[in-house]
């Protein structure tokens, strides 16, 4: 059927509209002038997710170990050398639903924000607020695995909030966008109160983004280009400094058990100790499937004692708070394990060499009654079936530097119920100071004779410095 000119013109207009709509839709995902950072960031996130999936990571529910292997943020690893996880975690996602939600939010805010302040600032904003969100997560709950772009995206929304509040945007448009953004942010923060949502990262990203956005507004409102550059670089340097200070503070106050987790991670043993869940590495899973004879069932299979060599020396340790000092050989590793929220324990210090351990605990009590109760509890010995003190425990006294210690020896059994297991000598020395209402406990696990000599030498030079 032939068409008249009006019909042809209308069809051409409709065709142009469809093509324009397709072009506009495609332009949201492909880099073009004035809109480069958003599609590139989108592409990196999607590419990482595809590579994870191709490597065998579950499309919907990745395993904890897999997330860690791909760079998720986890305090015991991040704060013991893997600082780069604060960056990589912003490109790792926990399943397809997670990445779809985050990428939708990224494109939505990118379309609004990148044309306002430029491609370079968009890249910098995503990375810097992502770093701050990761550090915020570590401050709040370091032992929770954190992954996803949402912290950085909240940072971008924080920047956009600053633009809506302080930049020259037409009032009606500003009010509409401000309401929309506040609803989005408020809803996600409330939703983030649910278990499994890292609200700490969201808040850290939002606050750092708002601060950076305020600086960007100042820069764009400045007519002199040179000052614009100084404002921008100064604001970005400030956010980076906040991140570095936060990471440094956290790294300087790492709990000692984080070093143990790092060692187990590097060694390929159990890979994660998480709040509320237990996850095991593939290596550990494989080991469990092996015959019992191939697992550690005797002392011969324990790590060997590292002997004192010509390159080793004796080091000094002292705690003014606990009033104790001693010397220890450098072939022993040391770590403080005192809980910051426990006012009773003044010190809990550990030294290790393979399967040999020394743990010193100094506890001080408020009243004589509490002190005497804990002294009695410390000296109690397990009883046998006849309700008599167990013969496995040997009690004696020992004098060190003129001070009288009470010594208890017994064999500690290690091993699962289905294993023969092995035994290690445990020696506990107690020194009681009723004047200070303080109990000094020295717990030793001894697997090697050479280690026994080291421990004896360490205890021989123990001194209490409190009057």
């Amino acid at each position: 059927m032939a068409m008249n000119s009006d019909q042809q013109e209308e069809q051409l207009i409709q065709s142009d509209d469809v093509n324009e709509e397709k072009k506009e839709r495609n332009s949201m995902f492909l880099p073009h002038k004035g809109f480069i950072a958003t599609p590139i960031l989108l592409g990196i996130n999607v590419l990482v997710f595809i590579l994870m999936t191709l490597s065998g990571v579950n499309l919907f529910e990745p395993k904890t170990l897999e997330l860690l292997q791909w760079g998720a943020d986890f305090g015991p690893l991040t704060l013991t050398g893997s600082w780069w996880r604060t960056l990589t975690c912003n490109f790792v996602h926990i399943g397809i639903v997670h990445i779809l939600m985050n990428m939708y939010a990224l494109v939505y805010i990118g379309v609004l924000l990148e044309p306002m302040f430029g491609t370079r600032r968009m890249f910098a904003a995503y990375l810097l607020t992502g770093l701050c969100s990761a550090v915020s997560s570590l401050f709040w709950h370091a032992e929770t695995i954190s992954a996803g772009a949402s912290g950085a995206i909240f940072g971008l929304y924080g920047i956009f909030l600053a633009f809506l509040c302080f930049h020259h945007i037409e009032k009606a448009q500003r009010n509409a966008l401000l309401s929309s953004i506040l609803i989005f942010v408020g809803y996600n923060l409330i939703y983030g109160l649910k278990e499994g949502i890292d609200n700490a990262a969201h808040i850290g990203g939002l606050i750092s983004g708002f601060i950076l956005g305020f600086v960007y507004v100042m820069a764009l409102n400045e007519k002199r280009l040179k000052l614009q550059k100084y404002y921008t670089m100064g604001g970005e340097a400030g956010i980076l400094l906040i991140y570095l200070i936060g990471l440094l503070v956290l790294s300087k106050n790492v709990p000692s058990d984080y070093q143990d987790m790092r060692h187990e991670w590097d060694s390929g043993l159990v890979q994660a100790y998480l709040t509320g869940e237990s996850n095991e590495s593939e290596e550990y899973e494989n080991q469990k499937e092996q015959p019992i004879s191939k697992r550690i069932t005797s002392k011969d299979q324990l790590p060997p004692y590292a002997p004192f060599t010509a390159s080793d020396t004796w080091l000094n340790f002292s705690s003014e708070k606990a009033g104790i000092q001693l010397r220890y050989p450098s072939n022993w590793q040391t770590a403080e394990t005192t809980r910051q929220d426990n006012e009773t324990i003044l010190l809990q210090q550990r030294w290790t060499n393979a399967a040999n351990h020394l743990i010193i605990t100094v506890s001080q009590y408020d009243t004589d009654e509490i002190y005497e109760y804990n002294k009695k509890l410390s000296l109690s010995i397990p009883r046998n079936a006849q309700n008599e003190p167990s013969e496995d425990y040997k009690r004696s006294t020992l004098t060190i530097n003129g001070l009288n210690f009470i010594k208890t020896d017994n064999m500690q059994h290690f091993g699962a119920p289905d294993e023969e297991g092995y035994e290690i000598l445990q020696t506990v020395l107690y020194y009681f100071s009723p004047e200070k209402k303080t109990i000094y406990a020295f717990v030793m696990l001894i697997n090697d004779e050479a280690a026994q000599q080291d421990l004896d030498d360490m205890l021989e030079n123990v001194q209490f410095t409190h009057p």
Side-chain angles (χ1 to χ4, degrees), residues 13 20 22 144 176 253 258 260 307 339 406 412 421 456 461:
I13 292 174
E20 188 65 29
K22 289 182 178 179
T144 297
N253 296 279
Y258 283 16
D260 296 336
R339 288 181 55 176
I406 297 178
Q412 283 285 339
D456 289 343
N461 63 74

Side-chain angles (χ1 to χ4, degrees), residues 195-206:
E195 184 178 358
I197 307 297
D198 192 358
N199 236 1
H202 295 167
I203 294 172
L206 184 68

Side-chain angles (χ1 to χ4, degrees), residues 74-317:
F74 183 46
L77 299 182
T78 305
L79 300 177
T80 55
S82 300
W83 59 267
W84 46 267
R85 291 178 179 274
T86 56
L87 175 63
T88 57
C89 69
N90 294 287
F91 298 94
V92 176
H93 286 85
I94 310 173
I96 190 169
V97 175
H98 189 208
I99 191 172
L100 287 175
M101 292 176 62
N102 278 347
M103 293 306 98
Y104 172 79
L106 174 61
V107 171
Y108 180 81
I109 191 63
V111 169
L112 296 172
L113 191 59
E114 186 173 350
M116 283 187 181
F117 68 170
T119 292
R120 196 204 68 80
R121 292 189 181 96
M122 186 70 180
F123 275 123
Y126 182 95
L127 297 177
L128 290 172
T129 59
L131 291 173
C132 287
S133 72
V135 165
S136 178
S137 178
L138 291 172
F139 266 108
W140 199 322
H141 38 57
E143 294 178 15
T144 297
I145 287 181
S146 178
S150 57
I153 293 170
F154 262 79
L156 298 177
Y157 276 95
I159 292 174
F160 196 61
L161 275 175
F163 270 76
L164 291 177
C165 292
F166 305 113
H167 199 44
H168 299 299
I169 299 176
E170 195 274 323
K171 185 175 180 180
Q173 182 185 16
R174 182 177 68 245
N175 291 339
L177 290 172
L178 186 60
S179 299
S180 175
I181 297 300
L182 288 176
I183 291 172
F184 173 85
V185 170
Y187 169 78
N188 279 278
L189 289 178
I190 294 173
Y191 182 74
L193 296 175
K194 292 178 59 178
E195 184 178 358
I197 307 297
D198 192 358
N199 236 1
H202 295 167
I203 294 172
L206 184 68
I207 294 174
S208 60
F210 189 82
I211 295 171
L212 184 59
F214 178 74
V215 177
Y216 282 161
V217 169
M218 292 175 59
L220 295 178
N221 287 341
E222 175 59 54
K223 292 182 171 55
R224 290 166 290 183
L225 294 178
K226 194 171 184 179
L227 285 181
Q228 280 190 16
K229 182 178 179 181
Y230 288 154
Y231 280 139
T232 297
M233 294 180 63
E236 292 169 352
I239 296 298
L240 181 61
L241 184 61
I242 291 173
Y243 157 75
L244 291 174
I245 291 174
L247 188 64
L248 181 62
V249 169
L250 287 166
S251 300
K252 289 293 184 182
N253 296 279
V254 171
S256 62
D257 56 344
Y258 283 16
Q259 296 294 345
D260 296 336
M261 296 182 200
R262 160 60 64 179
H263 173 71
E264 290 171 357
W265 174 264
D266 292 339
S267 302
L269 299 175
V270 181
Q271 297 281 2
Y273 291 75
L274 304 177
T275 303
E277 63 177 300
S278 175
N279 295 277
E280 297 170 318
S281 68
E282 293 178 1
E283 291 86 349
Y284 187 67
E285 288 288 347
N286 293 335
Q287 188 187 61
K288 290 202 302 183
E289 296 301 322
Q290 294 177 350
I292 292 175
S293 60
K294 292 188 177 182
R295 283 185 268 163
I296 297 177
T297 59
S298 71
K299 292 197 293 184
D300 295 335
Q301 295 173 284
L302 292 172
Y305 164 77
F308 191 89
T309 65
S311 61
D312 286 308
T313 185
W314 282 81
L315 305 172
N316 293 318
F317 168 80

